[in-house]
Amino acid sequence: MSQIGPGFLSLPPRSVKPRAEGLTHVLDKGLSYVALESLLQTAGDHIDFVKLGWGTAYVTDGVKAKVALCKANGIRMCPGGTLLEICDHQGRIEDYVRWLQRLGLTHVEVSNGAFGMETTRKRELIRRLSQDFTVLSECGSKNPRVDVVADDWVEEMTGDLEAGASILIAEARESGTVGLYTPTGEVRTELVEAIVGNLPAAKVIFEAPRKDQQAWFVRRLGAVANLGNIPADEVVALETLRLGLRSDTLDLLPEDGPHACLPEPAAAPTPVPLGHLGTAHAHP
């Protein structure tokens, strides 16, 4: 733990990087190097993962430099699972692996929600890629017409961990209207409870692109909730939700508690007007 802000408020506990829980996973839809640098200057301490959404890494200049920038700031970067699915669909997985290595990427996402890849093939890819990368495995279809069955998600996630995945991602897409959520964005509470009841919550990143969804997970799991697909311009806002500094989560603030405030800087001496230096004053 470390001091948050000026330090005079009692706030929920919040770990510092490298974090094992309370992860913030940000969606990069094509940020320039300069935009990413600006984001990290403002919110870098709050970001644990940057995901190069879907196939954006394939058509974005400067990805290698962005990877290096994230690494220098203690942030892990990985491409989206849709790009891997396309590569597998076209028989280009080994080309994909070599390209990721040239970019300096150490994390990769494996998903099966775009093409409906068979689970057996997904596990083969997890086993293959975990030899060279840290694997994030995403569960859930991107098709809103596919039935969401909690037991099926738990079974798939459990098998993905056994195959070598280090982190699980629960699907919601950028819109927050599939997978974990209904088409109108409400949380499928039965699905979430099945996941947290059968799997280690610290291993699961719940995609939550909308503020109401983020607030729901923070209220259910606390500041340690792992949340993903966070828009780049919402990182600081999410951190305030975690810490009870926004009206949606004010009741999570502790009544009181220990806090350490940085000492006030010493006051600068009042300058003496130049005309008065060395002047003797006579009194009548």
Side-chain angles (χ1 to χ4, degrees):
M1 305 295 172
S2 70
Q3 177 175 301
I4 300 171
F8 54 79
L9 294 177
S10 297
L11 301 174
R14 184 78 170 112
S15 58
V16 297
K17 298 192 310 186
R19 279 184 279 267
E21 58 184 5
L23 304 174
T24 294
H25 168 280
V26 175
L27 181 62
D28 175 353
K29 299 188 288 184
L31 292 173
S32 69
Y33 180 91
V34 172
L36 178 61
E37 189 175 39
S38 177
L39 172 64
L40 299 192
Q41 183 180 38
T42 303
D45 288 345
H46 311 316
I47 300 172
D48 303 282
F49 281 93
V50 171
K51 173 180 178 174
L52 301 165
W54 47 96
T56 58
Y58 197 80
V59 295
T60 303
D61 290 335
V63 173
K64 187 172 184 177
K66 288 168 63 174
V67 173
L69 177 62
C70 281
K71 191 173 294 185
N73 284 271
I75 296 168
R76 293 152 281 185
M77 178 173 270
C78 71
T82 298
L83 185 56
L84 176 134
E85 291 189 56
I86 295 169
C87 291
D88 183 60
H89 189 68
Q90 296 188 0
R92 299 295 183 179
I93 288 296
E94 295 308 318
D95 293 326
Y96 184 57
V97 166
R98 287 189 289 271
W99 179 60
L100 296 185
Q101 291 172 333
R102 289 198 301 273
L103 292 174
L105 286 161
T106 57
H107 291 65
V108 64
E109 182 180 307
V110 178
S111 67
N112 60 351
F115 282 100
M117 180 195 301
E118 292 292 333
T119 304
T120 52
R121 176 56 180 163
K122 183 186 183 189
R123 304 268 167 76
E124 288 174 5
L125 289 171
I126 292 172
R127 283 189 285 269
R128 160 66 187 91
L129 294 168
S130 63
Q131 297 173 25
D132 300 300
F133 303 93
T134 299
V135 174
L136 289 75
S137 174
E138 186 174 73
C139 180
S141 174
K142 300 182 186 302
N143 185 345
R145 292 184 293 276
V146 171
D147 290 336
V148 176
V149 181
D151 289 345
D152 292 347
W153 279 51
V154 170
E155 181 181 356
E156 182 174 338
M157 288 176 150
T158 301
D160 290 352
L161 284 177
E162 293 170 352
S166 297
I167 297 174
L168 303 167
I169 300 176
E171 174 71 78
R173 299 199 71 180
E174 178 194 4
S175 62
T177 57
V178 300
L180 285 171
Y181 308 101
T182 68
T184 53
E186 286 80 18
V187 179
R188 297 185 193 272
T189 56
E190 181 182 349
L191 174 59
V192 174
E193 295 303 332
I195 292 170
V196 299
N198 291 278
L199 293 154
K203 292 277 190 182
V204 183
I205 294 175
F206 296 95
E207 292 187 342
R210 292 175 18 175
K211 185 196 73 167
D212 57 322
Q213 296 164 351
Q214 297 160 16
W216 189 94
F217 276 102
V218 169
R219 296 181 64 80
R220 171 62 182 83
L221 300 174
V224 296
N226 299 327
L227 300 177
N229 270 13
I230 305 304
D233 61 353
E234 291 289 331
V235 174
V236 171
L238 169 58
E239 196 65 18
T240 62
L241 282 175
R242 292 187 187 277
L243 297 173
L245 294 172
R246 196 168 183 176
S247 60
D248 309 76
T249 54
L250 283 176
D251 59 322
L252 300 182
L253 287 169
E255 293 286 332
D256 195 11
H259 54 271
C261 189
L262 288 173
E264 293 290 338
T270 303
V272 179
L274 293 176
H276 288 223
L277 290 175
T279 302
H281 297 276
H283 296 277

